[in-house]
Amino acid sequence: MDVELPLAGPGGRSYAFIIDWHIRLLLALAWAVAAFLVLRASGGTETPGMILGLPAALIYLLYHPVVELAMSGQTPGKRFAGVRVVARNGQPPTIAAVLIRNVFRLVDAFPAFYTVGLVTTMLTRDSVRVGDLAAGTVLVYLPAHNRKAALRQRRLAQQSRLPLDLAELASDLLDRWPQLAPPIRRELAITLLTRGAAPPADPSRVSDEDLRSMLHSLLEPPA
């Protein structure tokens, strides 16, 4: 199936980046100040740069890759802006993709203020920066109906006799049933029923409406 994703442009990217920049700067400064106060309170007369500067620099530099991996392509700034990093097929980015796109921040930040990255997002068709081109990722806006989607997932998980991933596919198929060509919807329905351990005995003898009813029955609460 083709997947259409609402791409985030320079505006959405910049909004998320500014929020994340403040967060990681505050985290780095908080570490430096806390370490300084602890060293002074312990009676030390020196404040080694390795204790203050190195961890603060690591927090600042590793913020994006670590948080994006932990939050499946998001950061607090991206979440606040309603955007997420995904692979070009719409799936969550791999570890390698996250690392590559963040290593290339060194290129996107050149010569200052992320000039290369900003210009690239304005010139490329998918509004991507150099890091995204190298990693095969894009930045997309989250659906406005995220809350409805979460409630739908919860309902399917509680009521369906199928695993959640199959239940979502079956529900989507039933929603789009009238718009799909009969051969396509039959093939998809038989595949889902087979994977859901409820294959029709003789698919060639089962009508479209019977297939539809069988899918409905799998999405109903178990008796």
Side-chain angles (χ1 to χ4, degrees):
M1 290 184 181
D2 293 332
V3 178
E4 293 185 5
L5 301 171
L7 297 170
R13 284 176 171 272
S14 299
Y15 183 40
F17 176 79
I18 290 172
I19 295 173
D20 284 322
W21 183 81
H22 282 88
I23 292 174
R24 62 176 176 162
L25 180 62
L26 288 174
L27 289 174
L29 288 175
W31 169 267
V33 171
F36 175 80
L37 293 176
V38 169
L39 287 172
R40 292 299 297 271
S42 64
T45 57
E46 299 180 358
T47 55
M50 291 292 289
I51 297 178
L52 295 181
L54 183 59
L58 289 176
I59 290 172
Y60 186 83
L61 294 174
L62 298 180
Y63 169 86
H64 277 284
V66 171
V67 177
E68 284 178 4
L69 287 173
M71 297 178 64
S72 299
Q74 279 195 301
T75 58
K78 289 183 178 68
R79 175 170 291 184
F80 195 83
V83 297
R84 180 190 298 276
V85 178
V86 297
R88 287 189 173 274
N89 60 3
Q91 297 297 312
T94 63
I95 295 176
V98 170
L99 295 178
I100 290 171
R101 78 183 301 272
N102 281 287
V103 166
F104 273 85
R105 285 185 184 277
L106 298 174
V107 177
D108 285 307
F110 187 82
F113 305 111
Y114 274 78
T115 302
V116 170
L118 183 60
V119 171
T120 306
T121 61
M122 294 178 178
L123 298 179
T124 52
R125 184 185 64 180
D126 296 330
S127 299
V128 291
R129 60 180 180 83
V130 176
D132 291 309
L133 290 172
T137 54
V138 292
L139 196 69
V140 300
Y141 285 109
L142 296 175
H145 57 277
N146 262 359
R147 181 174 176 80
K148 291 182 179 179
L151 292 173
R152 177 170 172 256
Q153 282 188 338
R154 186 181 306 171
R155 176 179 59 81
L156 287 173
Q158 292 174 345
Q159 297 183 354
S160 173
R161 286 181 282 172
L162 293 170
L164 181 57
D165 57 342
L166 294 183
E168 288 184 299
L169 290 173
S171 179
D172 289 339
L173 175 58
L174 290 171
D175 289 341
R176 299 176 58 189
W177 190 271
Q179 290 80 39
L180 294 174
I184 294 176
R185 67 193 187 194
R186 282 186 64 85
E187 181 179 354
L188 291 173
I190 293 170
T191 300
L192 286 173
L193 289 168
T194 302
R195 291 181 62 187
D202 187 353
S204 62
R205 294 177 176 270
V206 181
S207 68
D208 282 13
E209 285 306 310
D210 286 339
L211 288 173
R212 191 176 184 181
S213 297
M214 294 171 72
L215 285 174
H216 271 298
S217 67
L218 289 179
L219 295 178
E220 295 173 354

